[in-house]
Amino acid sequence: MSDLPDADEFIKIDHSTPSTGWMDTPAKIRPGMYCYASNYRSVEALGLPNARRWNPLDDDWQIPDNWQQIFLEGLQERLDKFRSLKIFMDICVRCGACADKCHYFIGTGDPKNMPVLRAELLRSVYRNDFTTAGKIFGKLAGARPLTLEVLKEIWYYLFQCSMCRRCSVFCPYGIDTAEITLLGRELMNLLGLNIDWIATPIANCYQTGNHLGIQPHAFKDMLDFFVEDIEEITGVNCEPQYNKKGADILFLTPSGDVFADPGTYTAMGYLILFQFLKEKYGLDVTWSTYASEGGNFGFFTSHEVMKRLNAKMYAEAKRLGVKWILGGECGHMWRVIHQYMDTMNGPADFMEVPVNPVTGTVFENASSTKLVHIAEFTADLIKNNKLDLDPSRNDNLSVTFHDSCNPSRGMGMLDEPRYVIQNVCNNFYDMPPSTIRENTFCCGSGAGLNAGEDMELRMAGGLPRANAVKHVHEKHGVNMLACICAVDRAALPDLMDYWVPGVDVIGLHELVGNAIVLPGEQERTMDLRMEPLPGMEDEADE
Amino acid sequence: MNSSYIFSLILVIILCVVAYMGGNAEGLRLVFGVMIPYLAVFLFVLGFLRKVLGWAKSPVPFSIASTCGQQKSMPWVEQNKLDNPSTTFGVIIRMFLEIVCFRSLFRNTRMRFHKSTDGVKIAYDWEIFLWAGALAFHYAFLVVLLRHLRFFFQPVPWCIQVIEFFDGFFKMEFVGEVIDIGTLQIGLPGVFVSGLILLAAVIFLCLRRLMSPKVRYISLASDYFPLFVILGIAVTGIVMRYFAKIDIVGVKAYTMGLVMFKGTLPPENVGGIFYIHLFLVCVLLACFPFSKLMHMGGIFLSPTRNMTGNTREVRHVNPWNYPVKTHTYEEYEDDYRDKMIGVGLPVDKKE
Ligand code: HEM
Ligand code: SF4
Ligand code: SF4
């Protein structure tokens, strides 16, 4: 972060347009705005093309001599396979409605971060080689040949899109730049042009079952750690079950929750919830070390890698013979589950239509895919009065809620988490309507861009979100930003430190974990972060 | 690209000149009056079909609705059935509102940085003008188009007469007002509002494209071209109706001749302006399938709008789904068996 300008300096963003047209304004790949190149070992591990050492700042990217052919044939193949791509390439009228909807444009002022131009970068190549008008009229019809410079420009801006879909909400034809970005990144991967923040997690996930490369014994060790902490805080042992055959429910969550604060506190929240339900209602949940990742960075690479990583979920459910799957808090994980998983790796006819064993609620909306979101599950428990909650334990928090892009625009889970928050804490304030729900702004670090080296891009992209938080921070004294996404939990603390100091980040189920009154628990003086509960400042000191 | 409008402007002017001269040249009337219109219609129909069938040929492998509202979940959570439909009926309503009301465009906002006492705030104001302009433009265009059908039917169907009636409905008031201020306008033919709205809306869209820096920056020559062509069509149409007072009966005989494939020429007295009007319409038709105007067809097929959002409830099938290489549990256990046994994790094979 040392190279970052001061927040006050930063905010003088220039939204004016350059004097030269975009085709005549070459892209300059700038440190702070791009992520490091994929490590060749990770590329090899998945058997993806062109594993080698390379650096985006070098002139020579060491791609095969026939790279144009590979790219254009890849584009042809995808046009034939995806109606979405074909239509999105053809029908944009350049009305500009999407232009200022992208957080990266708002935060950088770079016109090529307008969704329409991001798409035009690829569309111009499409026109040149695939359309009559482009072949005849060339540049006048917005066509340009695929040169190395053009390839690099497309690459640079594909990795400045977090696939958040905000632009698609406002486009009169629903043109979804996230779809174009995903398919564009597929083309880049044909040439071995991935970034390491994606390539290494997917290689890890393939081998060990999770992005962080945590091996099974270490995974258990980490959860044991939480169990100890929870015991210290509550006096109750919340030891989970692992890889248990015949369990009722398989629980999957992003490995980020096992690995780093503040996600770890969310994981503790899950453990407390499951312990409560086990004691009171005999709930039988198992974790898995093989399917130990809910997220799927394959989604940021290609449909094929997405499918290869996602396959573990159903495979493990089948091996263990569970009735259905419960999924933890993660953004893109839920886009994959909601819109891709069943199609790719289903049908999941070896499981049952999910029924909440505690309330008897049938989750009709998950009847085919057989995955229920933990916010749906917990909301259902609260609605049926099955949890003993003491929301006053969260009274030192004034909470707002960040809708993650994917659960909002690729699923539509908007009210369930809010319902849960409002039942587990007493002070909740939503941000302004144009920045939440389906209009929500990305954390600025989605789609594999939450690396360290592109911090300037992340802080710029996160500005609209941070600015809305700042608004409620000043107006209502909000000091806690709740979310249901592991990438958010990793990215938002940096963003808050930079733009809105004084606001911390919390997972939904950390709030739940604080509020749940476990059977047989000791009087709690600390929250899950081992900080004093409201009114307990003196006791906790002892 | 910043001045790409100049190219389109010059091109449209050249097209106008060509048509004007063609219309006045004795020998070219057949070309401009009959052959080019047939060719244009042919290109339009064929190109349109080819494009739409081309789209339809590519499958929709995944169900990727943009969910713009609360999903269907438990019965007590109120679903947004319009923006996150879970039934075909819901999708039809969503699509209907998109196509008929440009609903997504209605959401448009404009981002603005403003400095306040406590630092910089970003505001998002509702921006209605593009929506209003676009709606005015498209409906005016539609009405003008439908009214023109009177040239191609004999007798004129009642529905077209109804449209004309309502389109001309304002003529009384309009003329009345004009009389009030004392000008003699009674001899004017009835005023159709659609033509005037079309003209105003096209001018608005042109100005917006030229004046808004962002929109200007993204605009291609091929974005200005249809606007200028339509502008030309609207202007020549209005001139013919209100000022040049063209021989409508003669024109109708000509257009009916086209319909009956009789190859009738336009009447002698229509003048060059008629040929400009006609030729620009032909250019628009012929270019339509090869340009962004195909958004008319594409909007119906856009997968982010025409699919249901309940993808966990109903499985979507991908016709080209293929098996992929995965790291199976057996391989995983082989890799880590000892470590798993070491911490007491259950394993399938104990060696
Ligand atoms: C189902 C039919 C149609 C729908 C739903 C539709 C919808 C839209 C929308 C939402 C826009 C964006 C707003 C704007 O830029 O004005 C637009 C732009 C445009 N449409 Fe259509 N349209 C349809 C048919 C047509 C047809 C038949 C034409 C033929 C001339 C046409 C010409 C245009 C033009 C020229 C623009 C760009 C305006 C500009 O450059 O600012 N549209 N359309
Ligand atoms: S809103 Fe849609 S049609 Fe308009 S410029 Fe953006 S992508 Fe193109
Ligand atoms: S998907 Fe999100 S990040 Fe990508 S262009 Fe659209 S608004 Fe920007």
Side-chain angles (χ1 to χ4, degrees):
Chain A
M1 266 229 216
S2 54
D3 290 349
L4 271 185
D6 215 48
D8 291 333
E9 278 302 306
F10 201 130
I11 207 141
K12 297 188 187 111
I13 302 159
D14 180 11
H15 284 94
S16 66
T17 47
S19 52
T20 46
W22 62 266
M23 283 196 198
D24 307 314
T25 314
K28 196 174 164 312
I29 297 181
R30 194 160 65 74
M33 303 299 280
Y34 76 93
C35 298
Y36 296 151
S38 39
N39 184 319
Y40 69 95
R41 284 199 210 93
S42 302
V43 178
E44 242 163 28
L46 279 166
L48 299 177
N50 201 19
R52 82 237 173 267
R53 282 177 218 273
W54 69 287
N55 182 345
L57 294 182
D58 289 347
D59 285 336
D60 182 1
W61 281 11
Q62 305 183 48
I63 47 178
D65 289 337
N66 64 339
W67 64 271
Q68 277 150 317
Q69 186 195 353
I70 297 175
F71 189 97
L72 293 174
E73 282 175 7
L75 182 54
Q76 177 69 61
E77 183 190 337
R78 279 154 191 81
L79 289 166
D80 292 339
K81 279 179 157 179
F82 292 86
R83 186 182 298 167
S84 54
L85 182 65
K86 237 183 198 171
I87 288 183
F88 296 164
M89 286 293 112
D90 277 331
I91 66 172
C92 170
V93 297
R94 285 162 295 282
C95 66
C98 58
D100 59 359
K101 307 303 179 285
C102 177
H103 50 285
Y104 287 118
F105 175 66
I106 298 175
T108 64
D110 182 342
K112 285 175 191 163
N113 270 326
M114 293 191 246
V116 45
L117 268 199
R118 196 190 308 288
E120 287 285 300
L121 299 179
L122 180 62
R123 216 177 259 134
S124 54
V125 171
Y126 162 78
R127 290 197 200 99
N128 195 66
D129 290 270
F130 298 91
T131 68
T132 320
K135 282 177 191 156
I136 300 174
F137 296 105
K139 199 170 165 182
L140 292 167
R144 61 174 179 174
L146 179 62
T147 62
L148 196 57
E149 203 171 57
V150 168
L151 180 81
K152 290 183 176 182
E153 180 179 67
I154 298 176
W155 179 86
Y156 187 50
Y157 288 100
L158 284 178
F159 289 96
Q160 292 190 30
C161 168
S162 60
M163 297 168 64
C164 77
R165 309 187 102 196
R166 191 168 193 268
C167 46
S168 97
V169 170
F170 292 89
C171 174
Y173 320 118
I175 292 177
D176 180 10
T177 313
E179 179 83 349
I180 297 173
T181 295
L182 172 54
L183 290 164
R185 288 187 183 186
E186 278 196 32
L187 296 174
M188 290 298 163
N189 271 284
L190 295 178
L191 301 171
L193 300 174
N194 205 347
I195 60 172
D196 200 48
W197 199 260
I198 297 174
T200 294
I202 56 180
N204 284 339
C205 192
Y206 188 72
Q207 173 60 28
T208 63
N210 57 73
H211 292 149
L212 296 161
I214 309 167
Q215 299 187 3
H217 57 297
F219 190 83
K220 179 165 183 301
D221 279 353
M222 289 167 144
L223 286 190
D224 281 348
F225 232 43
F226 304 155
V227 172
E228 279 169 30
D229 279 359
I230 297 171
E231 190 151 7
E232 187 179 339
I233 297 164
T234 67
V236 177
N237 179 358
C238 293
E239 174 84 32
Q241 318 185 88
Y242 301 95
N243 303 355
K244 184 192 166 195
K245 286 199 172 160
D248 287 343
I249 298 170
L250 167 64
F251 179 65
L252 303 172
T253 200
S255 59
D257 285 351
V258 183
F259 186 70
D261 298 349
T264 48
Y265 308 121
T266 307
M268 288 160 73
Y270 302 145
L271 291 173
I272 292 175
L273 175 69
F274 297 153
Q275 176 65 25
F276 177 93
L277 296 172
K278 183 169 126 194
E279 275 299 305
K280 288 208 99 161
Y281 308 103
L283 188 81
D284 188 8
V285 173
T286 181
W287 295 58
S288 163
T289 60
Y290 168 64
S292 46
E293 179 61 66
N296 188 336
F297 274 34
F299 176 45
F300 311 143
T301 307
S302 69
H303 287 86
E304 182 170 310
V305 176
M306 177 182 2
K307 179 173 170 176
R308 288 173 70 183
L309 299 184
N310 175 264
K312 285 184 186 170
M313 291 190 175
Y314 279 153
E316 184 69 339
K318 195 167 188 174
R319 185 181 76 89
L320 298 178
V322 297
K323 294 189 178 131
W324 53 275
I325 307 176
L326 183 65
E329 299 177 18
C330 175
H332 72 282
M333 158 182 176
W334 275 93
R335 171 102 203 271
V336 174
I337 288 174
H338 191 73
Q339 297 197 322
Y340 294 97
M341 176 167 184
D342 204 350
T343 301
M344 286 181 161
N345 290 310
D349 39 20
F350 51 90
M351 286 191 277
E352 297 170 13
V353 173
V355 177
N356 187 335
V358 179
T359 63
T361 301
V362 182
F363 294 102
E364 294 280 355
N365 63 327
S367 55
S368 175
T369 304
K370 279 124 184 153
L371 265 109
V372 176
H373 195 290
I374 193 153
E376 296 168 335
F377 181 70
T378 304
D380 177 53
L381 292 167
I382 296 175
K383 182 74 185 175
N384 288 287
N385 272 321
K386 298 295 183 191
L387 297 182
D388 301 334
L389 297 167
D390 178 2
S392 73
R393 287 186 192 160
N394 286 318
D395 271 356
N396 51 347
L397 307 181
S398 186
V399 180
T400 192
F401 179 65
H402 163 66
D403 291 274
S404 307
C405 308
N406 287 296
S408 310
R409 291 182 283 258
M411 183 179 179
M413 194 179 66
L414 307 169
D415 285 328
E416 296 89 338
R418 283 182 171 76
Y419 178 80
V420 173
I421 294 178
Q422 283 165 320
N423 279 282
V424 297
C425 67
N426 290 318
N427 313 306
F428 173 70
Y429 304 94
D430 250 329
M431 287 177 270
S434 46
T435 66
I436 55 167
R437 299 175 74 90
E438 73 278 6
N439 293 329
T440 191
F441 276 109
C442 177
C443 60
S445 307
L449 304 182
N450 53 328
E453 61 270 18
D454 62 338
M455 196 53 91
E456 186 181 338
L457 175 72
R458 291 175 47 193
M459 293 303 111
L463 171 62
R465 167 44 71 230
N467 207 259
V469 175
K470 188 156 176 257
H471 177 77
V472 282
H473 174 60
E474 283 160 3
K475 194 164 165 202
H476 303 291
V478 162
N479 58 10
M480 198 48 100
L481 177 57
C483 60
I484 46 167
C485 170
V487 172
D488 283 338
R489 286 189 282 272
L492 289 173
D494 287 337
L495 189 74
M496 291 300 112
D497 281 350
Y498 188 72
W499 292 114
V500 206
V503 176
D504 213 337
V505 177
I506 198 165
L508 180 66
H509 276 78
E510 183 184 344
L511 291 168
V512 173
N514 276 332
I516 284 185
V517 183
L518 281 167
E521 73 173 31
Q522 65 196 29
E523 192 193 3
R524 286 201 213 177
T525 57
M526 296 179 288
D527 63 15
L528 298 183
R529 301 182 181 195
M530 298 210 174
E531 280 161 17
L533 285 174
M536 295 285 181
E537 289 77 4
D538 301 334
E539 281 84 346
D541 282 347
E542 284 158 22
Chain B
M1 297 295 113
N2 283 6
S3 53
S4 50
Y5 71 94
I6 294 178
F7 174 84
S8 296
L9 190 62
I10 294 175
L11 183 62
V12 172
I13 291 173
I14 293 176
L15 291 176
C16 291
V17 172
V18 167
Y20 191 84
M21 299 200 309
N24 283 336
E26 198 62 47
L28 291 178
R29 289 209 180 136
L30 184 68
V31 175
F32 281 85
V34 180
M35 282 154 71
I36 290 180
Y38 278 133
L39 184 68
V41 171
F42 178 75
L43 280 174
F44 173 76
V45 173
L46 213 72
F48 198 98
L49 283 179
R50 204 189 65 148
K51 194 95 229 178
V52 172
L53 292 178
W55 288 334
K57 212 170 82 193
S58 294
V60 180
F62 302 103
S63 183
I64 55 162
S66 300
T67 58
C68 303
Q70 172 61 40
Q71 66 168 349
K72 174 184 170 196
S73 78
M74 290 149 290
W76 53 272
V77 182
E78 196 189 338
Q79 180 196 357
N80 183 336
K81 293 186 176 153
L82 269 185
D83 296 307
N84 195 346
S86 55
T87 58
T88 308
F89 180 71
V91 170
I92 290 173
I93 303 288
R94 187 184 196 191
M95 290 299 291
F96 179 83
L97 291 174
E98 284 296 350
I99 290 162
V100 174
C101 306
F102 300 1
R103 189 148 183 273
S104 291
L105 203 56
F106 189 65
R107 295 194 181 99
N108 198 17
T109 56
R110 193 210 318 257
M111 174 270 304
R112 186 164 56 82
F113 277 70
H114 66 94
K115 294 206 170 55
S116 66
T117 43
D118 36 41
V120 176
K121 282 261 162 72
I122 313 176
Y124 311 92
D125 307 317
W126 193 34
E127 212 282 331
I128 189 81
F129 294 106
L130 176 58
W131 175 80
L135 213 64
F137 167 73
H138 283 83
Y139 274 99
F141 193 94
L142 180 68
V143 171
V144 171
L145 197 76
L146 290 175
R147 271 202 290 105
H148 277 70
L149 291 180
R150 78 149 34 244
F151 290 108
F152 301 96
F153 288 97
Q154 186 66 289
V156 178
W158 64 268
C159 44
I160 296 175
Q161 295 185 14
V162 170
I163 292 169
E164 280 179 351
F165 175 75
F166 282 103
D167 196 8
F169 192 66
F170 300 94
K171 88 179 160 197
M172 314 296 176
E173 290 168 52
F174 183 74
V175 175
E177 270 170 37
V178 176
I179 291 172
D180 274 350
I181 55 167
T183 341
L184 259 187
Q185 300 260 325
I186 300 181
L188 261 188
V191 172
F192 286 128
V193 274
S194 56
L196 299 179
I197 294 180
L198 179 63
L199 184 65
V202 170
I203 291 173
F204 167 75
L205 290 176
C206 284
L207 288 179
R208 177 178 177 272
R209 223 172 245 298
L210 287 166
M211 317 274 265
S212 156
K214 281 200 293 282
V215 185
R216 180 168 168 154
Y217 195 67
I218 59 177
S219 293
L220 303 167
S222 54
D223 293 320
Y224 293 106
F225 184 69
L227 285 178
F228 293 156
V229 169
I230 294 170
L231 185 66
I233 295 173
V235 169
T236 48
I238 287 171
V239 167
M240 282 189 295
R241 180 167 176 88
Y242 303 110
F243 304 104
K245 308 251 180 69
I246 207 146
D247 167 16
I248 296 289
V249 180
V251 170
K252 172 109 191 207
Y254 154 69
T255 50
M256 286 315 293
L258 287 181
V259 173
M260 316 300 271
F261 294 102
K262 284 204 210 114
T264 322
L265 288 182
E268 292 287 330
N269 55 2
V270 288
I273 193 128
F274 176 81
Y275 284 92
I276 299 180
H277 190 73
L278 181 66
F279 187 58
L280 290 182
V281 170
C282 292
V283 169
L284 191 68
L285 274 179
C287 292
F288 198 102
F290 309 98
S291 73
K292 68 171 192 179
L293 298 180
M294 279 307 291
H295 65 274
M296 179 183 175
I299 189 171
F300 290 88
L301 295 178
S302 178
T304 57
R305 290 287 185 272
N306 71 7
M307 320 272 308
T308 54
N310 60 339
T311 29
R312 273 184 294 155
E313 187 173 6
V314 181
R315 178 166 187 258
H316 179 81
V317 177
N318 173 3
W320 50 258
N321 199 15
Y322 56 93
V324 293
K325 186 167 166 359
T326 62
H327 190 231
T328 64
Y329 178 79
E330 289 68 31
E331 290 164 335
Y332 169 87
E333 197 183 291
D334 287 347
D335 290 344
Y336 299 112
R337 184 168 297 107
D338 292 344
K339 290 170 173 169
M340 292 173 79
I341 294 173
V343 292
L345 289 171
V347 288
D348 282 355
K349 265 197 279 175
K350 297 200 175 67
E351 268 166 74

